[in-house]
Amino acid sequence: MIQMVDLKSQYLKIKDEIDSGIARVIENTEFINGQDVKDFRTELASYLNVGNVITCGNGTDALQIALMALGLKPGDEVISADFTFIATVETIALLQLKPVMVDVDPETYLINPDEIEKAITPRTKAIIPVHLFGQCADMERIMDIAKRHNLYVIEDTAQAIGSDYHFSDGTVKKAGTIGHIGCTSFFPSKNLGCYGDGGAIFTNDAELAEKISSIVNHGMKVRYHHDRIGVNSRLDTIQAVVLRAKLPHLDEYNNARRTAADYYDKAFANCHKISTPKRAQNTTHTFHQYVMRLNGVDRTALMEHLKAKGVASAVYYPIPLHKQKAFQGFEYNPNAFPNTDKLCESVIALPMNTELSKETLKYITDSVLEFVR
């Protein structure tokens, strides 16, 4: 079976470094906040060119902690995308804030800045743009909107670590380093993934960094002195070992994904029943997922066909957030999300990882076209 991800083959290429690092942690018993965690923070901050990296337990915690650091009050509104994984919006509701979902661009799948601006009210305090599937949202416009309305921006870069955003003045910044705070996940299938759960928070604001560092560790700055309500969210040292081994290869991994995506694009270019994902302007794409749209194709039947051919596929995401039972307590205009509704009905993701050979890609695309044609 050709899986969506191939972590085993990736591991075998860096096996010696990972195995020796894990053995070192077990030997020295620095399981929590060991030297590898500290070194990883420094190395990731250097890669991202950001002032502060605070590691935490997972990407969902990263979003929650970022919101906690802003001092928002119950009922304050936070705008995000309707077409994304639930964690982005779930954390807003968890903190008794009001999630305000808006529609996305139908071709790039990214949050629409025009919809953000229309959704702003006197209660709006923050925006969480999602860099979905591997490319950056229109951060230049979003930061301009935030500045004009005095709003915080938290970037959800769980799917786009390593992506570059190019500003109109020629400035280039990494995804997650543009807003006031950036958040990421190190879930195993991510472009930079560990072998369990893990996450990180980025900021160039020293005051926010101090708050975040305190919140991740029970609100402590000095041991047993709890300055604020916090949580217990730490990156295990063994996970830091894995991430340190992978970080020097991140650009290589992302380039391999782009090469695979180029193959898919070319293979499907002349098939009118398939719309390949549009590459947004001003951003590189790291293709955490390769998600295309089907036009007049029975998606369920196609997925069954691929399964029979030994090819995995998936749907990201089958149900819009505004239709999820968990958010039925909030009021949304059911007609406000036409693009999201259509995407949820038509998207399909094909295998995307760093180990896809041309032979494998040909087999996958031939299998798709065998059914679609």
Side-chain angles (χ1 to χ4, degrees):
M1 187 75 172
I2 301 171
Q3 301 292 342
M4 297 296 290
V5 296
D6 183 4
L7 297 177
K8 180 70 174 292
S9 297
Q10 187 187 69
Y11 158 69
L12 291 175
K13 293 181 179 179
I14 52 177
K15 180 180 186 299
D16 291 344
E17 185 176 356
I18 287 179
D19 289 358
S20 62
I22 291 173
R24 183 181 67 248
V25 173
I26 294 172
E27 180 70 24
N28 64 30
T29 69
E30 289 188 336
F31 300 116
I32 301 295
N33 203 30
Q35 188 60 47
D36 282 285
V37 176
K38 298 168 186 174
D39 290 342
F40 174 66
R41 289 176 192 147
T42 300
E43 291 158 4
L44 184 57
S46 177
Y47 174 82
L48 295 172
N49 192 27
V50 70
N52 304 275
V53 169
I54 303 97
T55 50
C56 61
N58 55 70
T60 306
D61 279 3
L63 290 162
Q64 178 182 324
I65 292 161
L67 286 165
M68 290 172 69
L70 299 181
L72 306 185
K73 298 177 182 179
D76 285 347
E77 296 176 358
V78 180
I79 297 171
S80 193
D82 187 44
F83 188 61
T84 183
F85 182 59
I86 191 172
T88 312
V89 178
E90 180 180 44
T91 52
I92 300 170
L94 183 67
L95 296 173
Q96 296 185 307
L97 307 170
K98 181 181 179 182
V100 177
M101 278 93 85
V102 300
D103 209 2
V104 297
D105 182 275
E107 296 183 316
T108 65
Y109 322 137
L110 298 169
I111 191 168
N112 186 334
D114 292 335
E115 297 299 318
I116 292 175
E117 190 129 37
K118 287 192 293 185
I120 293 172
T121 75
R123 296 300 302 271
T124 306
K125 302 299 179 185
I127 306 166
I128 305 182
V130 182
H131 301 323
L132 197 68
F133 301 143
Q135 58 184 343
C136 294
D138 189 348
M139 289 304 296
E140 188 158 10
R141 284 198 61 198
I142 290 170
M143 293 306 295
D144 175 67
I145 291 168
K147 184 177 181 179
R148 286 189 282 107
H149 294 276
N150 194 29
L151 306 176
Y152 290 109
V153 175
I154 300 172
E155 296 175 72
D156 183 343
T157 187
Q159 298 187 9
I161 192 163
S163 179
D164 292 323
Y165 185 83
H166 296 256
F167 287 84
S168 57
D169 66 0
T171 302
V172 180
K173 291 186 178 182
K174 291 288 187 187
T177 69
I178 303 165
H180 299 90
I181 305 175
C183 300
T184 200
S185 165
F186 300 127
F187 187 77
S189 64
K190 301 300 185 189
N191 294 36
L192 179 62
C194 55
Y195 292 165
D197 271 320
I201 307 160
F202 327 129
T203 184
N204 283 306
D205 186 313
E207 184 177 348
L208 279 175
E210 183 178 339
K211 288 181 181 178
I212 292 166
S213 297
S214 169
I215 291 170
V216 300
N217 191 27
H218 298 290
M220 288 191 293
K221 181 179 179 182
V222 177
R223 191 169 178 81
Y224 299 129
H225 292 254
H226 305 274
D227 298 329
R228 54 180 56 86
I229 298 297
V231 298
N232 176 23
S233 185
R234 296 173 294 207
L235 180 69
D236 293 344
T237 308
I238 285 176
Q239 304 306 337
V241 165
V242 176
L243 293 166
R244 290 191 70 202
K246 288 188 175 185
L247 180 58
H249 300 282
L250 179 56
D251 288 343
E252 171 194 337
Y253 293 160
N254 287 341
N255 286 333
R257 289 171 177 269
R258 276 189 281 268
T259 298
D262 289 343
Y263 190 101
Y264 282 140
D265 284 352
K266 185 176 180 180
F268 299 135
N270 297 319
C271 181
H272 70 278
K273 292 184 178 180
I274 293 174
S275 296
T276 56
K278 182 180 178 181
R279 318 246 180 144
Q281 292 184 337
N282 303 329
T283 174
T284 57
H285 203 319
T286 58
F287 284 98
H288 173 61
Q289 303 290 355
Y290 186 89
V291 178
M292 60 190 194
R293 289 168 290 137
L294 300 174
N295 308 311
V297 177
D298 185 329
R299 182 171 66 185
T300 301
L302 171 59
M303 294 178 75
E304 287 298 320
H305 167 77
L306 291 175
K307 183 178 179 181
K309 301 284 288 188
V311 178
S313 60
V315 176
Y316 306 113
Y317 298 94
I319 305 173
L321 290 183
H322 77 275
K323 291 183 179 178
Q324 294 284 357
K325 185 177 179 180
F327 296 112
Q328 293 311 296
F330 301 97
E331 294 182 3
Y332 297 104
N333 178 356
N335 300 315
F337 310 95
N339 296 332
T340 297
D341 288 336
K342 188 172 182 180
L343 289 172
C344 288
E345 294 171 355
S346 63
V347 293
I348 184 172
L350 298 179
M352 174 53 70
N353 58 72
T354 61
E355 310 303 315
L356 290 168
S357 66
K358 285 186 178 180
E359 292 75 19
T360 300
L361 289 164
K362 185 177 188 305
Y363 181 79
I364 294 169
T365 54
D366 284 351
S367 298
V368 172
L369 291 171
E370 179 183 294
F371 180 91
V372 170
R373 284 175 178 164

